[in-house]
Amino acid sequence: MIIVMKKDVKMEQTKKLKEKVENLGLKVMITIGEGQSILALVGDTQKVETEKFSREEGVEKVLRVQEPYKLASRFVKKDDTVIDVEGTKIGGDNLVYIAGPCSVETEDQIVKTAKAVKEAGAHFLRGGAFKPRTSPYSFQGLGIEGLKLLRKAKEATGLPIVTELLDSNDYEVINEYTDIIQIGARNMQNFALLKKVGKSNKPILLKRGMSSTIQEFLMSAEYIMSEGNEKVILCERGIRTFETYLRNTIDLNVITVIKQVSHLPIIIDPSHSTGRWNMVEPLSRAAVAMGVHGLMIEVHNDPDNALCDGAQSLKPQNFKRLVDNTKKIYEVTKEI
Ligand code: PEP
Ligand code: MN
């Protein structure tokens, strides 16, 4: 349920109404758009009559949100959410590049790769320190040592960090070292973890589960937002279908759907979507033409010897070409 206040209403009055609603055991988030406050009521609103609030002073109208996600819905917040991370804006009309290796391996590898992706135009450095590997015998990441190396790479380049939080127990340390917390596809419906990062003030990059519907994806964003953290970046990374030729099947329509039904930024990970380095640029071009807000690309200074996902990792020169070519498409698309 949302309560739309009249245009001239003072914030004091809006806050009074917020208190009244909270006394009913509901959570309230206030958003301000076009000079008008909107109260989003979260919780079991089924039993609450809309008339209860429509008669209150200062209220223009009370509406029921049909979708199960409320805070993530475009219906509740008309304007695009734009998330500022150390001066780089994610969402709205912006296109950002997040690049780096699948996992942090050595200081030489991460610093070299960070310098190369920065040079090519990346805004963020990605790199896993805690890796969700399908096999327990595969490289699991360097853990805290990896986070320290990411910090060194940040010091060398100024690039803010994106790294994955795999387990609630590592929350404090990840929160300390990273600028954006990544929740991986396998944890998209780890609701305890989502609630935990909902309490962080860091932006959350939420990857779509490989067997999740768009609605489930948005409900996971809602979990994070309902805890108070509205800085959620959605990331499509391919889903499982009957097709096995490539690693996953990208659902490009997700870009249009999310932009219609939600105000949250949507980015694409063409590396895990395809599993092959030479498929990454064409897919990135298509995503940019569709108006995606960002690309997350695996780049390694030496893909042949990568400990993880070398087959889908771009060499720095190929990443540079991808950035140059997608920027051209972005410029043309912006005009349309
Ligand atoms: C990753 O981005 O490092 C990763 C493991 O991706 P996903 O969770 O999409 O498989
Ligand atoms: Mn990977």
Side-chain angles (χ1 to χ4, degrees):
M1 186 183 284
I2 63 169
I3 303 176
V4 182
M5 303 301 283
K6 287 182 183 147
K7 277 218 158 114
D8 52 356
V9 167
K10 297 229 165 59
M11 200 48 177
E12 248 168 64
Q13 203 170 344
T14 307
K15 283 193 175 153
K16 265 192 198 154
L17 182 58
K18 178 176 184 273
E19 263 171 45
K20 269 195 184 175
V21 180
E22 282 171 342
N23 287 339
L24 297 171
L26 299 170
K27 274 193 197 171
V28 184
M29 309 274 180
I30 301 179
T31 57
I32 301 165
E34 292 168 15
Q36 213 166 4
S37 301
I38 293 171
L39 279 71
L41 280 51
V42 188
D44 189 6
T45 55
Q46 285 310 314
K47 292 179 213 98
V48 184
E49 303 278 341
T50 50
E51 290 80 50
K52 187 169 179 60
F53 301 115
S54 51
R55 283 191 296 270
E56 290 281 345
E57 223 183 299
V59 172
E60 187 176 295
K61 56 186 171 191
V62 183
L63 303 164
R64 280 201 186 277
V65 184
Q66 298 305 322
E67 292 85 11
Y69 47 89
K70 319 279 178 202
L71 300 172
S73 165
R74 177 77 80 184
F75 189 66
V76 170
K77 184 170 179 275
K78 296 269 171 291
D79 303 332
D80 283 358
T81 286
V82 179
I83 302 168
D84 190 308
V85 188
E86 300 193 356
T88 299
K89 293 183 168 51
I90 309 173
D93 293 333
N94 307 291
L95 172 64
V96 296
Y97 297 89
I98 303 169
C102 182
S103 29
V104 182
E105 298 166 8
T106 62
E107 181 171 342
D108 185 59
Q109 170 244 17
I110 194 67
V111 173
K112 266 191 189 148
T113 307
K115 285 182 175 165
V117 298
K118 162 103 192 244
E119 175 78 24
H123 303 91
F124 294 90
L125 175 66
R126 63 145 288 147
F130 296 87
K131 293 302 302 176
R133 302 304 301 277
T134 303
S135 165
Y137 308 120
S138 302
F139 176 57
Q140 303 286 306
L142 296 180
I144 294 173
E145 186 51 33
L147 298 177
K148 290 183 179 161
L149 296 180
L150 280 169
R151 179 156 293 171
K152 282 196 174 163
K154 182 179 181 182
E155 281 162 8
T157 58
L159 290 178
I161 302 299
V162 181
T163 199
E164 178 166 351
L165 171 65
L166 193 57
D167 179 333
S168 285
N169 292 323
D170 304 321
Y171 170 74
E172 307 293 340
V173 70
I174 293 272
N175 201 44
E176 185 191 329
Y177 277 90
T178 197
D179 299 293
I180 297 180
I181 301 175
Q182 178 174 323
I183 299 294
R186 291 155 191 82
N187 266 325
M188 190 205 83
Q189 286 191 314
N190 181 341
F191 301 119
L193 193 63
L194 299 178
K195 282 189 183 179
K196 189 105 186 173
V197 296
K199 295 192 171 66
S200 171
N201 57 8
K202 297 271 166 77
I204 310 302
L205 192 156
L206 177 67
K207 298 192 88 174
R208 180 178 178 182
M210 58 190 84
S211 307
S212 300
T213 64
I214 294 175
Q215 182 153 310
E216 286 164 343
F217 191 18
L218 285 164
M219 288 312 287
S220 292
E222 191 77 12
Y223 255 95
I224 299 168
M225 299 173 87
S226 67
E227 293 296 323
N229 188 350
E230 299 191 37
K231 292 181 279 191
V232 179
I233 302 150
L234 301 167
C235 178
E236 165 67 39
R237 45 78 76 206
I239 51 173
R240 285 269 169 88
T241 67
F242 58 85
E243 180 57 75
T244 54
Y245 192 80
L246 296 175
R247 188 171 179 181
N248 289 293
T249 300
I250 185 80
D251 180 10
L252 277 179
N253 284 321
V254 102
I255 300 169
T256 316
V257 174
I258 294 295
K259 288 179 103 173
Q260 282 173 2
V261 304
S262 178
H263 50 86
L264 295 173
I266 169 80
I267 71 165
I268 291 283
D269 167 353
S271 308
H272 292 90
S273 294
T274 59
R276 293 195 203 171
W277 74 269
N278 58 2
M279 306 289 292
V280 170
E281 188 186 318
L283 179 51
S284 301
R285 287 197 237 134
V288 172
M290 288 183 78
V292 81
H293 295 120
L295 297 167
M296 180 153 88
I297 316 273
E298 286 192 341
V299 181
H300 196 290
N301 64 320
D302 181 12
D304 292 342
N305 292 302
L307 294 181
C308 179
D309 286 350
Q312 68 194 32
S313 300
L314 296 190
K315 290 183 178 160
Q317 64 267 32
N318 290 332
F319 174 64
K320 170 136 185 32
R321 200 186 61 192
L322 179 151
V323 172
D324 293 346
N325 287 339
T326 49
K327 270 190 181 164
K328 286 182 202 155
I329 294 169
Y330 168 68
E331 290 305 326
V332 173
T333 313
K334 233 178 24 175
E335 306 298 319
I336 299 170

